[in-house]
Amino acid sequence: RQLHEILKALIANGFDPAEPAAIIYDGTLPTQRTTDGTLQELVEMKNLRTKPAILVVGRVVGLRQHLRWFDERPLFGKKIVVTRSREQAGDLVDMLESLGAEPIEAPMIRVEAPDDYGPLDAATAEAGTYDWIVFTSANGVDFFMRRLMASGDIRDLKGVKIVAIGPATSDRLARHGLRVDLEPAESRADAIVQSLREMGDIKGKRFLLPRADIAREVLPEELRKSGAEVTEVTAYRTVLAEIEREGDPDIYRMLLEKRIDVVTFTSASTVKNFVQIFGAEQAPDLLNATKVAS
């Protein structure tokens, strides 16, 4: 609130009115904003914000155009909603922050263990008898391997071929020391079937699919149509997350006021739950007012 008086006092006490100066708001945050000009130009500005800031005066301000990098990052200042579960959002949040964005965590899903581990345990006990195991998510990898290692050994998978739906799932398998035999060019169930058909490695083969409880039926149906014997097992459950815990941002209001730049969805379940939380009538309007990444 004293900024104008400070600027006037500097000029009154000997600073050249043409001396370069810069006002930095929210320094080091994704919301950082810098207003620069001469001391006289800043004095004459009527719309300077009355929030905490750093005032820099002198020739050093001239180096800003040569040295600036913080606010030149490709996503600087963008508010991006991350709808992944809290347990899995970390990597995406870190990447967004490194590119200058302000990630806003609003998990639409929560990942939990199956109600009954029996079918999953039975599948892990027989894992070595399958020709292929198809993983369609990193969560599927984690829950499957957890149960496998609890009662067996990673060597049980010797000779079994492994499919990963995409790079994140492949990376998670690699952490367990497992090399992927097939990763389709597109991260879709249909692409898995197409790739396997091109390899001619479906008919008569036994497939194990450890997946979410609400996974789509496209993959097992298409594999069966091609002559495979398919075993589906629930490796984990995807449930509706509790949003707007104490301290959480008000996503609804921010979308309504058009203060969100992008909403990201990383699975069909995050979309379904978004619609369930905000309502089938309102959800499209909220999303049409911003950009959506899937």
Side-chain angles (χ1 to χ4, degrees):
R1 289 189 297 271
Q2 298 297 321
L3 184 57
H4 276 103
E5 296 306 315
I6 292 170
L7 292 168
K8 289 177 185 176
L10 289 174
I11 295 172
N13 287 275
F15 269 90
D16 184 344
E19 192 79 21
I23 305 164
I24 305 161
Y25 301 96
D26 295 340
T28 77
L29 300 176
T31 50
Q32 177 177 302
R33 294 291 180 273
T34 302
T35 299
D36 53 13
T38 65
L39 282 175
Q40 188 61 44
E41 287 170 340
L42 295 180
V43 166
E44 294 171 0
M45 288 183 184
K46 303 298 183 185
N47 58 345
L48 292 177
R49 292 189 281 178
T50 57
K51 60 189 297 186
I54 296 172
L55 173 63
V56 181
V57 182
R59 286 181 299 167
V60 68
V61 173
L63 294 174
R64 177 168 181 259
Q65 297 305 322
H66 302 286
L67 299 179
R68 64 189 296 186
W69 61 271
F70 185 79
D71 54 357
E72 293 272 307
R73 290 175 294 173
L75 296 179
F76 182 76
K78 300 290 185 185
K79 288 184 172 64
I80 300 180
V81 173
V82 176
T83 57
R84 298 191 81 172
S85 65
R86 290 187 190 276
E87 297 78 13
Q88 282 196 305
D91 288 346
L92 180 54
V93 166
D94 288 345
M95 286 190 286
L96 290 171
E97 285 181 337
S98 71
L99 294 172
E102 181 183 351
I104 300 168
E105 291 189 56
M108 297 293 145
I109 60 172
R110 195 171 72 250
V111 176
E112 294 187 350
D115 289 325
D116 177 12
Y117 269 123
L120 181 58
D121 287 343
T124 57
E126 298 179 356
T129 67
Y130 289 91
D131 298 294
W132 287 93
I133 301 179
V134 182
F135 292 100
T136 53
S137 71
N139 284 323
V141 174
D142 288 341
F143 279 89
F144 181 85
M145 293 305 298
R146 204 172 294 152
R147 300 307 289 181
L148 176 72
M149 300 301 288
S151 58
D153 193 304
I154 196 167
R155 289 173 294 184
D156 296 342
L157 300 180
K158 179 175 173 58
V160 181
K161 293 180 180 177
I162 295 175
V163 180
I165 196 168
T169 306
S170 292
D171 289 346
R172 194 60 58 89
L173 284 161
R175 293 183 194 178
H176 292 281
L178 293 170
R179 184 174 296 173
V180 171
D181 296 282
L182 173 64
E183 181 188 314
E186 295 181 63
S187 299
R188 296 184 299 111
D190 321 54
I192 290 177
V193 177
Q194 183 60 35
S195 297
L196 286 165
R197 282 174 179 158
E198 290 171 359
M199 294 171 64
D201 207 7
I202 298 183
K203 190 172 183 180
K205 298 296 175 69
R206 299 183 70 226
F207 282 79
L208 174 61
L209 276 59
R211 312 191 297 161
D213 58 332
I214 59 170
R216 296 167 62 216
E217 291 302 313
V218 173
L219 181 56
E221 286 177 359
E222 290 300 315
L223 287 173
R224 290 187 180 108
K225 285 180 187 177
S226 298
E229 179 187 332
V230 180
T231 300
E232 299 174 70
V233 62
T234 297
Y236 63 96
R237 293 182 302 125
T238 301
V239 300
L240 187 69
E242 298 175 5
I243 68 163
E244 293 188 22
R245 304 185 308 178
E246 187 175 349
D248 280 355
D250 188 341
I251 300 298
Y252 176 78
R253 179 175 292 279
M254 294 178 77
L255 283 167
L256 209 59
E257 296 174 353
K258 296 181 172 54
R259 290 190 284 133
I260 297 293
D261 296 290
V262 186
V263 178
T264 64
F265 294 105
T266 53
S267 66
S269 54
T270 57
V271 180
K272 290 175 183 175
N273 289 356
F274 183 94
V275 173
Q276 185 175 338
I277 288 168
F278 295 114
E281 292 184 2
Q282 292 199 78
D285 291 335
L286 292 172
L287 293 179
N288 285 333
T290 185
K291 289 186 173 66
V292 175
S294 143

